[in-house]
Amino acid sequence: QEQLQESGPGLVKPSETLSLTCAVSGGSITHYYWNWIRQPPGKGLEWIGFIHFIGSTNYSPSLKSRVTISMDTSNNQFSLKLSSVTAADTAVYYCARSDSGWYYFDYWGQGTLVTVSS
Amino acid sequence: DIQMTQSPSTLSASVGDRVTITCRVSQSINSLLAWYQQKPGQAPNLLIYKASNLESGVPSRFSGSGSGTEFTLTISSLQPDDFATYYCQQYNSYSTFGHGTKVEMK
């Protein structure tokens, strides 16, 4: 059974780049699709994008200009970069697995809160 | 963009009640709809996929139905562990979530 664990700074300054990593254990990252999803405090869920090890990525149209998702197969992890952040990017960020590109999410990390503030 | 309308936003119920949550989408999604349960401080947990398929390990009191643009999640007999927030998600075109339904104790 796969386990996912997010890590990264909990505080990011406005206009800077948010960077998070998701470490995958219990299975190879070369299988499946790997997603980032976020949830502002007290609000609903927003899909950010996915990556597959063959190199394909897909991003939410609303975030596409600021998002990069990459993969590190040697360390079995994938990463999120979100540039030019504002307070509206404050959220719990989750990594999650899916069997295909646009798909449902069957394994999730516990989530990590990122606050954007000076 | 596919718009999701989930109702009600809050539902008050008692243990043993039959509970139904509705998710309406702005266009046909080929039944590519999932339901999740989320408890405070936890990640969402997959309950149902492709509108009516029960995820492994999920109690059979949960069921999903619907087609076209209207879908429902039903809990046949609400249990104490079921008080939580429920989200629908379409995955036909990109991925979009409903705004959630909080099931609270009456």
Side-chain angles (χ1 to χ4, degrees), chain B residues 4-95:
Chain B
M4 314 282 288
T5 304
Q6 197 174 329
S7 61
S9 55
T10 305
L11 188 159
S12 297
S14 302
V15 173
D17 284 354
R18 182 181 181 87
V19 166
T20 299
I21 299 168
T22 298
C23 185
R24 292 184 177 87
V25 297
S26 58
Q27 63 191 72
S28 179
I29 56 169
N30 301 305
S31 296
L32 298 180
L33 186 112
W35 290 97
Y36 300 84
Q37 176 193 70
Q38 186 179 35
K39 296 179 180 178
Q42 296 184 19
N45 181 50
L46 177 68
L47 301 174
I48 301 284
Y49 61 92
K50 206 172 182 188
S52 60
N53 293 272
L54 192 69
E55 174 70 349
S56 176
V58 174
S60 59
R61 63 180 179 272
F62 291 93
S63 64
S65 64
S67 63
T69 61
E70 186 163 324
F71 301 88
T72 59
L73 172 70
T74 300
I75 309 172
S76 60
S77 177
L78 194 69
Q79 298 302 301
D81 191 47
D82 301 337
F83 292 100
T85 300
Y86 294 83
Y87 292 93
C88 57
Q89 175 221 355
Q90 70 80 20
Y91 50 98
N92 180 68
S93 175
Y94 295 95
S95 180

Side-chain angles (χ1 to χ4, degrees), chain A residues 33-116:
Chain A
Y33 287 71
W34 302 96
N35 298 263
W36 287 99
I37 296 154
R38 70 181 183 178
Q39 184 172 36
K43 296 189 178 180
L45 299 156
E46 179 182 24
W47 175 75
I48 299 170
F50 71 70
I51 188 167
H52 187 263
F53 103 99
I54 61 171
S56 67
T57 55
N58 189 258
Y59 303 132
S60 167
S62 65
L63 296 170
K64 184 175 182 179
S65 63
R66 299 195 290 132
V67 173
T68 302
I69 298 176
S70 59
M71 183 178 279
D72 177 1
T73 55
S74 60
N75 287 303
N76 221 43
Q77 61 188 30
F78 63 106
S79 298
L80 168 71
K81 291 190 185 298
L82 180 66
S83 64
S84 305
V85 297
T86 70
D89 296 309
T90 294
V92 174
Y93 285 76
Y94 295 100
C95 54
R97 189 191 88 167
S98 60
D99 275 349
S100 187
W102 298 335
Y103 221 58
Y104 54 85
F105 311 109
D106 55 359
Y107 286 93
W108 296 65
Q110 65 184 28
T112 187
L113 174 63
V114 179
T115 301
V116 178

